């Protein structure tokens, strides 16, 4: 079976580096928010081209803490997409702010400018872009739009490690970028982890305070923070794994290129090609088809795993059915949720694996 992820097939050199990282931490006697976290934060900020990275417990907390550090909360509206992980919107709700859901451009499944515009109101404080599937697109345009609209641009980069627009990495254009290092992400920990990246000194300082019970100096609490500390073990493992991230990302991009060249089945659609060579980190490779169940069964029979990201958009999830949204509705989001399908695209795949997946897709429906 060609699976969506295959961690057991990762290089032995990476395993050895990870084992050394674990040993280093175990023998150090320091397990939470210590030198490994500092070193990882410095390395991740450098990769993102930002002055700061603040390690936190997961990607959802990164968004919540970023919002709270900017004082975005009760009474404030944050526009975002319904075609995302539930955590994006849950983080806005947990910050006490009001999510407003805009529709997507069906060509990319990213936010649609006209729909976002329709969601703007007097209480709009921020636009939270989600770099879905690893795509960043038109960050300059969004930056200019946000300035004109008088709202803050924020980035959910959970799927877009190392993706860049005009040389500017994901997370470096908005006021902050929120990263997840959940194990399946392009840079994944061996457990949960996340980070906020920002060029804003004050925001970084507030985020550091909020992640640790709102503590400014030892035993002095200046805000109702949370416990969202990053541990030394994950930070050490992330440093080891980051060494491979450029190579692994290139591999994902190669596989995606192979798929684009090879998949030609009129029943299967592709999303728009990346607009720039580095603008897509290919966290997921997504095709569309109105015959999804049949295609999934066919792929399964051919030894190819597939999954759906995401089958139920946020606005159709029980806690979110009455959330504010584009007054014209979210038809493109609903259509995408009904037709999208993720096929394997991970760095341990061989060219032969990718060709097998493409052939299986091309054979679908052939008699
Ligand atoms: C787009 C997006 N935002 C936020 C998150 C939340 O990250 P985490 O699972 O680390 O809390 C994820 C990951 O699931 C995600 O894919």
């Amino acid at each position: 079976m060609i699976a969506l992820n295959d961690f057991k097939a990762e290089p032995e050199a990476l395993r050895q580096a990870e084992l050394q990282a674990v040993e280093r931490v175990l023998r150090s006697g320091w397990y939470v928010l210590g030198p490994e976290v500092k070193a990882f934060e410095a390395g991740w900020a450098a990769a993102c081209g930002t002055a700061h990275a603040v390690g936190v417990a997961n990607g959802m907390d990164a968004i919540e803490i970023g919002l709270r550090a900017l004082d975005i909360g009760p009474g404030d509206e944050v526009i975002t997409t319904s075609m995302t992980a539930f955590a994006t919107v849950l983080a806005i709700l947990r910050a006490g702010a009001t999510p407003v859901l805009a529709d997507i451009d069906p060509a990319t499944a990213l936010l649609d400018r006209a729909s976002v515009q329709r969601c703007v109101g007097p209480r709009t404080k921020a636009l939270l872009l989600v770099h879905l599937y690893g795509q960043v697109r038109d960050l300059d345009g969004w930056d200019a739009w946000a300035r004109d609209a008088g709202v803050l641009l924020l980035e959910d980069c959970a799927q877009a490690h190392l993706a860049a627009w005009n040389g500017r990495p994901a997370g470096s254009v908005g006021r902050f970028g929120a990263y997840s290092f959940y194990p399946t992400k392009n840079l994944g920990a061996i457990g949960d982890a996340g980070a906020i990246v920002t060029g804003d000194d004050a925001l970084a300082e507030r985020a550091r305070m909020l992640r640790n019970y709102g503590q400014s100096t030892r035993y002095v609490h200046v805000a109702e923070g949370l416990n969202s500390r990053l541990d030394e073990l994950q930070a050490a493992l992330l440093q080891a794994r980051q060494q491979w991230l450029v190579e692994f990302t290139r591999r994902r991009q190669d596989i995606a290129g192979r798929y684009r060249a090879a998949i030609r089945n009129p029943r299967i659609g592709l999303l728009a090609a990346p607009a720039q060579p580095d603008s897509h980190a290919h966290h997921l490779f997504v095709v569309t088809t109105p015959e999804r169940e049949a295609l999934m069964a066919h792929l399964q029979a051919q030894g190819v795993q597939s999954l759906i990201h995401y089958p139920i958009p946020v606005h159709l999830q029980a806690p979110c059915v009455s959330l504010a949204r584009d007054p014209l509705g979210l038809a493109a989001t609903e259509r995408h949720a009904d037709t999208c399908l993720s096929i394997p695209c991970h760095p341990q795949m061989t060219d032969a694996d990718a060709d097998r997946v493409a052939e299986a897709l091309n054979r679908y429906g052939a008699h």
Side-chain angles (χ1 to χ4, degrees), residues 57-63 83-89 91 130-133 156-159 178-185 192-194 283 310:
N58 54 66
M60 187 176 86
D61 282 4
I63 301 171
M83 182 42 63
T84 184
F86 190 69
T88 307
V89 174
V130 177
H131 303 319
L132 194 71
Y133 307 146
D156 179 341
C157 309
Q159 303 187 359
Y179 278 92
S180 166
F181 306 113
Y182 184 75
T184 55
K185 302 303 191 214
D192 277 306
H283 173 58
Y310 295 91

Side-chain angles (χ1 to χ4, degrees), residues 209 214-222:
M209 174 271 286
Q215 179 173 275
S216 56
T217 53
R218 188 175 286 206
Y219 303 133
V220 178
H221 299 269
V222 295

